[in-house]
Amino acid sequence: QVSIGAFKVATMIKVSDELLNDNVFNLEAYISKEFGRRIGTKEEEAFFIGDGKGKPTGILNATGGASDGVTTATANITFDDVMPTDPFYEAVQYVFNRKLMNGVSDTSFDPYGTLTRAMVVTILYRLDGEPAAEPSAFLDVAAGQWYTDAVGWGAANKVVKGYSEDRFGPMDPVTREQLAAILHRYAQYKGYDVTEIADLAAYADMASISEYALEAMAWAVALGAPEALSETALAPRDNATRAQVAAILMRFQQGIAN
């Protein structure tokens, strides 16, 4: 039996004036639920990776939250919504520590949120060292935006394509098949081996894969990402989550790029 001392945990919940004055909104229930979620998250985090300073020493403290025998340059990530027990923890840790993806805030990664097409091409642009790029011909990609150079680079090197010659849809959420196609084209652009493909016949929704993405999806499944949602479903036209993007980037870097 091990005794653990008492430690203080505090949180602050911000509520807008609109919600404070909304007679329908159940403020008490919201605060109670949010408080419980945050306290529970911090307790779990301390249990696994607590550093012993104002909190217990976590059971994975020595490895920074990584599995035994695994080390990373800066292992700890402190997002409230990414726990060491999550299946995507390692992938989020990998892309965050390598500055491929950031959180949506200092405390949230939003693993189940979506990523835009502009964000995906920007990640690959960073991987390629952010070379000089000419503006693209897409009318919906204005000059001076944070993604302008990345889209110009991607279009010039045939890493990304638009819906048409003049429309890219930078703020559209990227779908699973779009993500596979973009990464497949990037691998070709870099000269990586993309010959290994998987047989997709076992997937009931294979017919829903767009023709342009069929080869890329077979390649991505062979790579291990995007993962099948089940043994018979790939959901190619569903939006890719941020956690899924992190996973495919990690597998791509570890299995193809290195």
Side-chain angles (χ1 to χ4, degrees), residues 12-242:
M12 180 174 68
I13 299 173
K14 294 182 180 180
V15 181
S16 67
D17 289 337
E18 289 80 5
L19 290 180
L20 284 174
N21 296 314
D22 189 337
N23 294 327
V24 178
F25 180 66
N26 190 332
L27 181 61
E28 183 179 352
Y30 168 76
I31 291 177
S32 177
K33 180 179 180 180
E34 185 65 10
F35 180 82
R37 184 189 69 82
R38 293 190 187 187
I39 295 299
T41 295
K42 285 301 181 183
E43 286 181 340
E44 184 175 4
E45 177 185 313
F47 176 76
F48 283 101
I49 58 173
D51 59 9
K53 299 176 182 178
K55 65 188 74 169
T57 299
I59 60 174
L60 297 179
N61 172 260
T63 61
S67 302
D68 287 345
V70 176
T71 59
T72 56
T74 51
N76 289 354
I77 51 176
T78 57
F79 297 119
D80 290 345
D81 50 7
V82 180
M83 291 291 100
T85 50
D86 290 326
F88 47 77
Y89 180 87
E90 183 182 358
V92 173
Q93 180 186 56
Y94 183 93
V95 297
F96 180 75
N97 288 340
R98 287 159 181 77
K99 299 182 180 179
L100 298 178
M101 293 178 68
N102 298 319
V104 298
S105 71
D106 290 341
T107 58
S108 175
F109 184 78
D110 192 20
Y112 300 107
T114 58
L115 211 65
T116 65
R117 287 162 55 84
M119 290 175 179
V120 171
V121 69
T122 299
I123 290 170
L124 298 181
Y125 182 52
R126 290 174 187 160
L127 270 179
D128 203 39
E130 301 185 56
E134 294 294 325
S136 70
F138 299 122
L139 299 180
D140 56 356
V141 179
Q145 301 299 311
W146 56 266
Y147 51 82
T148 302
D149 289 346
V151 175
W153 162 84
N157 292 290
K158 299 181 180 179
V159 173
V160 294
K161 296 181 179 180
Y163 297 119
S164 64
E165 291 184 356
D166 58 8
R167 189 170 80 87
F168 179 68
M171 294 297 102
D172 292 350
V174 69
T175 65
R176 287 162 61 86
E177 67 176 6
Q178 287 174 1
L179 176 64
I182 292 170
L183 200 58
H184 185 247
R185 295 190 204 108
Y186 177 75
Q188 291 175 315
Y189 156 71
K190 296 295 289 184
Y192 299 145
D193 182 5
V194 294
T195 56
E196 185 178 356
I197 59 174
D199 183 359
L200 303 182
Y203 298 103
D205 56 359
M206 175 184 172
S208 66
I209 301 173
S210 300
E211 184 177 355
Y212 79 86
L214 194 57
E215 181 181 355
M217 285 292 286
W219 167 79
V221 171
L223 181 64
E227 301 112 322
L229 298 185
S230 71
E231 292 183 358
T232 59
L234 285 171
R237 302 198 183 191
D238 284 3
N239 294 333
T241 67
R242 288 172 54 84

